[in-house]
Amino acid sequence: MTTTTLLLEGSAIDDIASFYAEINRVFMAGEDWQLGVSLDALDDLLYGGYGALAGHAAVSVHWRDIAHSRMALGVAATRAWLQDKRARPGTFNLQILDAQLDALARGVGQTYFDIVMDIFAAHPNVRLTTD
């Protein structure tokens, strides 16, 4: 059985928006639509059924220069993302956002990168390798 290998270029990721641009470049090539900037959309994508995962029971994803991505999706990007959500009261739970911001400030909160890695880990059909 042949395994499909996809290559994420970590050096192309400088913030959350460019992370999704890279995800779309790799996973959505040939589709007439793109994923939005959404962790839920990323999770849905990794279940397969469309894009580069369509027709594949399992794939391998190699994330080159992951250290660059880790920094780009680190504390500063995560804080900005949470603060942007916080600026829309009524849409998000402010107590949860405040707790996440507090944890981030104390150095114990999940970064956006950490959340992305958890999402990949939740999909055993997607084997992630890095360098």
Side-chain angles (χ1 to χ4, degrees), residues 38-54:
S38 163
L39 292 167
D40 289 335
L42 175 64
D43 190 41
D44 290 346
L45 169 73
L46 295 178
Y47 280 108
Y50 56 90
L53 301 181

Side-chain angles (χ1 to χ4, degrees), residues 9-84:
E9 290 291 350
S11 62
I13 299 169
D14 295 313
D15 55 18
I16 292 171
S18 61
F19 167 71
Y20 286 96
E22 181 64 5
I23 290 292
N24 279 313
R25 181 190 71 78
V26 171
F27 287 89
M28 299 300 288
E31 293 289 338
D32 60 0
W33 60 282
Q34 301 279 285
L35 288 185
V37 178
S38 163
L39 292 167
D40 289 335
L42 175 64
D43 190 41
D44 290 346
L45 169 73
L46 295 178
Y47 280 108
Y50 56 90
L53 301 181
H56 299 285
V59 297
S60 180
V61 176
H62 185 74
W63 194 330
R64 185 180 303 170
D65 199 6
I66 197 165
H68 181 87
S69 302
R70 183 180 290 111
M71 291 296 296
L73 302 176
V75 172
T78 306
R79 183 181 303 112
W81 170 66
L82 292 170
Q83 288 171 336
D84 179 62

Side-chain angles (χ1 to χ4, degrees), residues 81-82 85 95-105 109 115:
W81 170 66
L82 292 170
K85 291 171 79 168
Q95 288 179 314
I96 291 174
L97 292 174
D98 287 343
Q100 290 172 314
L101 283 164
D102 179 62
L104 201 60
I115 298 167

